[in-house]
Structures are given as C-alpha cells and as structure tokens.
C-alpha cells in the first residue's frame, strides 16, 4: 500500500505544531520518527524545526517511497530495537503507530536508551472516545470501532509504561482540526488501516454511502489525536 499511502497521506499542521512545540530545546540533537511510513511527518518536522532528523520504518516499501533530501535520512528498523547509539537523539515521536507495536514496553525502553538527557518521547495516538467519534471513518464504517478498540492501547496504559521505562514529567495534550473531503480516493484505496480490518461487505456499504453523500458536495471531517509525552530526566 506504499504508493497509495504516499499519494494520500500528508502531515497535518496541528500535529506538526504540537510536535515542534514539544521538541527538546537542543537543536544539535536530531529527532527520530518511528513508523514514518513514506516520511510526511519526518519531512515536515525537519522543515518546521530546521533540525536534522531520521525516519524509521519496518517496511522497506514505505521507505522507498519517502522523499529524502535536506537534513533527513531514513533507516529500516524495528521499534523495540532502535538502531541508534545511546543518548544520541533529542526527540523520538510516532504518529498513529503505537497500536501496530507488539511490545510497547520494549519500544519505550529502547527510546529511553537512545534519548539524550532531557530528550522527549511523544506518542500521538487515539483515545477510546476519539476512535468512537472518528469522522468520517466511524461514521461510514462503524464496524471499524471494535477492532480498533481491541488493538489501541489506553492512554493510562501508555503513561504507566512510560513511567516504568524511566520517563518523567509525563503529560497528555490533545489537538484537533477540521478538514474538507471532496476526494473519496484515500478511502477507496484503504490507506487507513482500519478499513482493512472489516468485512468486505461492510467496506463496500460504507463506500457507497460516502460516495452518495459526496454527490451533494464536500463533506466535513475531523482529525483528533492525544499526545502522550514525557522526558528522560536531566
């Protein structure tokens, strides 16, 4: 799905705003995006912060579709075994990726090791309430809610696992933005992984309903994320 992902998925301004605000103060330390896909947020963060960065993904196909230029480099790797030296990074973040990880605690421990003192770990994810009110995903494909709740980690769980890994000053902030939908392409191409978790009949029914509504004009959607963040102690 890498070509479709690269064509349809882009960095959301409100997400980049939050990540840039949370970034550790030292510009000399590069950042790392874990589960970068085709690099949209990696490139956006490098442009916003003028800071060197890395994008890492387990899928080689995703990385082949990522634009590499300026202060950005990409590496293939696993979250539980970050291929970086101890205390070399200023920030590690992921955006809607944590639910794909089998052992989150291993990822948090690996991140603690790779972050410099004062470095920031940030996980952008969905809370239960956010999943239930997703628009348009949960509106047109309500059968996505149950499998999503089954694979997403609770916010309290993430905070607890971060604390166990050694992080301090753990907090949660939230962000959202509205957007206009005039192209059904991203949904037809199922670039949102939850659309690959439901029966084909459910997917087809939701697609027909969304297409019918789009005939009357653009639809309004909402993007929401919870940002669970903490620091490695100085």
């Amino acid at each position: 799905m890498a070509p479709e992902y690269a064509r349809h998925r882009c960095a959301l301004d409100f997400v980049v705003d939050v990540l840039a605000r949370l970034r550790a103060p030292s510009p000399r330390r590069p950042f790392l995006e874990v589960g970068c896909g085709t690099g949209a947020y990696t490139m956006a963060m490098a442009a916003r912060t003028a800071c060197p960065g890395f994008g890492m993904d387990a899928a080689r196909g995703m990385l082949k579709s990522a634009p590499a230029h300026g202060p950005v480099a990409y590496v293939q790797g696993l979250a539980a075994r970050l291929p970086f030296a101890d205390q070399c990074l200023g920030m590690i973040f992921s955006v809607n990726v944590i639910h794909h990880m089998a052992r989150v605690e291993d990822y948090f421990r690996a991140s603690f090791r790779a972050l410099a003192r004062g470095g920031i770990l940030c996980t952008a994810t969905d809370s239960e309430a956010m999943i239930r009110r997703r628009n348009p995903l949960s509106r047109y494909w309500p059968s996505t809610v149950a499998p999503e709740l089954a694979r997403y980690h609770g916010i309290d769980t993430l905070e607890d696992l971060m604390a166990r890994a050694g992080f301090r000053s753990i907090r949660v902030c939230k962000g959202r933005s509205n957007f206009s939908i005039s192209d059904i392409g991203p949904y037809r191409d199922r670039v949102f992984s939850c659309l690959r978790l439901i029966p084909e009949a459910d997917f087809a029914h939701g697609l027909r309903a969304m297409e019918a509504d789009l005939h009357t004009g653009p639809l309004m959607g909402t993007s929401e994320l919870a940002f669970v963040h903490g620091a490695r102690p100085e």
Side-chain angles (χ1 to χ4, degrees):
M1 59 187 292
E4 290 81 10
Y5 199 94
R7 184 165 61 252
H8 294 305
R9 297 294 289 266
C10 61
L12 301 176
D13 288 340
F14 85 91
V15 178
V16 180
D17 288 344
V18 173
L19 293 174
R21 187 168 67 246
L22 294 176
R23 184 178 66 91
S26 173
R28 297 189 301 274
R29 300 281 187 182
F31 67 82
L32 167 67
E33 180 187 4
V34 173
C36 67
T38 54
Y41 283 106
T42 306
M43 295 298 299
M45 275 291 285
R48 178 70 62 87
T49 65
C51 183
F54 295 94
M56 190 190 84
D57 204 280
R60 186 177 300 276
M62 288 287 188
L63 297 176
K64 286 182 178 179
S65 297
H69 57 78
V72 168
Y74 296 98
V75 59
Q76 186 178 19
L78 297 176
R81 299 192 298 273
L82 297 180
F84 291 87
D86 293 355
Q87 300 189 43
C88 71
L89 299 171
M91 181 181 193
I92 299 174
F93 70 88
S94 66
V95 180
N96 261 332
V97 167
I98 197 81
H99 56 283
H100 293 294
M101 299 182 191
R103 292 187 57 82
V104 176
E105 58 270 34
D106 291 345
Y107 164 57
F108 286 165
R109 284 194 289 266
S111 297
F112 189 88
R113 174 192 60 77
L115 282 168
R117 295 183 184 277
I120 300 297
L121 174 67
C122 181
T123 299
T125 187
D126 288 6
S127 68
E128 177 180 345
M130 290 174 179
I131 291 172
R132 292 187 182 279
R133 62 175 176 251
R134 281 175 176 170
N135 185 23
L137 289 171
S138 296
R139 173 184 173 188
Y140 290 100
W141 295 278
S143 60
T144 61
V145 172
E148 287 293 77
L149 293 179
R151 67 177 182 158
Y152 269 73
H153 308 280
I155 301 299
D156 291 346
T157 298
L158 295 177
E159 292 179 282
D160 180 62
L161 291 175
M162 284 184 67
R164 293 186 186 188
F167 289 94
R168 298 295 180 264
S169 301
I170 300 168
R171 297 182 176 87
V172 181
C173 61
K174 298 177 182 179
R176 62 177 290 166
S177 68
N178 298 321
F179 59 96
S180 177
I181 305 168
S182 57
D183 178 15
I184 202 171
Y187 305 93
R188 181 186 293 114
D189 291 341
R190 298 195 229 196
V191 299
F192 305 98
S193 62
C194 64
L195 295 178
R196 297 169 181 264
L197 303 176
I198 60 176
E200 190 64 30
D202 290 359
F203 172 70
H205 180 272
L207 196 66
R208 287 194 300 269
M210 189 175 185
E211 285 178 327
D213 287 347
L214 277 171
H215 282 313
T216 64
L219 304 175
M220 290 305 299
T222 302
S223 292
E224 292 183 278
L225 284 172
F227 299 84
V228 187
H229 58 93
R232 174 169 178 160
E234 295 282 357

